[in-house]
Amino acid sequence: MKTENTVWHAQHVDKKQRADLKQQKPCLLWYTGLSGSGKSTIANAVDALLFERGCHSYLLDGDNVRHGLNGDLSFSDQDRIENIRRISEVAKLFLDAGLIVSTAFISPFSADRAMAKNMLEIGEFIEVYIDTPIDVCEQRDPKGLYKKARAGEIKDFTGIDSEYDVPESPTLHIKTAEYDIAQCAEQIVSYLQMHQYIK
Ligand SMILES: Nc1ncnc2c1ncn2[C@@H]1O[C@H](COP(=O)(O)OS(=O)(=O)O)[C@@H](OP(=O)(O)O)[C@H]1O
Ligand SMILES: Nc1ncnc2c1ncn2[C@@H]1O[C@H](COP(=O)(O)OP(=O)(O)O)[C@@H](O)[C@H]1O
């Protein structure tokens, strides 16, 4: 830490008051999965359903965040760790604002996902494993990245020459090769409703 002479200021309005105003319980839907697994697609579908219900939510998406805040980071292991650390901190701020937050990052390392979870209060972190076999991701190849990675044009590509730790006990296990986009999104929204994060 290079910030030793700073002092934390308590704020008058707290997380619970902000959340009560919105009639929701803040939480973080942490989507993880391979490139092309469906993280962005499903997170967007869930966000749209939440919006329709009048919930106040926000989605932080890997590709978008890497255009701005994390534009200085590569896909080395070290930079992926820093990517997830920064996202976890940003997500925590959004939670403090009382929102239902979604993050859609590959987040390949289980230690980093555990770090994100440990930064939050019990019950706030919901790990959503978007489980899609790599051959299906590769067939979809929505951005043509697998083709490039196989041709050696992209190095350190997740699932090819960079590791992905499969979540051992995700809160939600979403199988996109078995259910369509709307069904996957509905599974997640139902969970939020059943556990009273939303009405
Ligand atoms: N080498 C390599 N490996 C994996 N992905 C790559 C790579 N290079 C570029 N991309 C594109 O970057 C998106 C992944 O960014 P993330 O921030 O989610 O990755 S990570 O969590 O830091 O591992 C990923 O987006 P998604 O396909 O939406 O997952 C790719 O579009
Ligand atoms: N059941 C499903 N769930 C999510 N995406 C699906 C599903 N079936 C097909 N797809 C397609 O797979 C692709 C997933 O891409 P994307 O959401 O960008 O993945 P990621 O964000 O994990 O890289 C999209 O083209 C989407 O239309």
Side-chain angles (χ1 to χ4, degrees), residues 157-170:
F157 198 78
T158 306
I160 295 179
D161 54 356
S162 185
E163 217 183 292
Y164 179 78
D165 300 337
V166 172
E168 281 180 10
S169 48

Side-chain angles (χ1 to χ4, degrees), residues 30-41 61-66 70 73-77 79-84 87 104-109 112 141-143 145-146 149 154-164:
W30 186 281
Y31 293 84
T32 174
L34 296 171
S35 177
S37 59
K39 302 179 298 297
S40 297
T41 302
D61 186 273
D63 272 322
N64 297 355
V65 172
R66 277 178 174 277
N70 291 352
L73 301 177
S74 74
F75 289 91
S76 67
D77 286 3
D79 278 7
R80 288 183 200 251
I81 291 168
E82 176 60 10
N83 185 34
I84 300 309
I87 292 313
F105 295 81
I106 296 177
S107 43
F109 307 133
D112 301 324
D141 206 4
K143 300 167 200 155
L145 297 178
Y146 282 92
I154 304 179
K155 283 198 195 124
D156 302 328
F157 198 78
T158 306
I160 295 179
D161 54 356
S162 185
E163 217 183 292
Y164 179 78

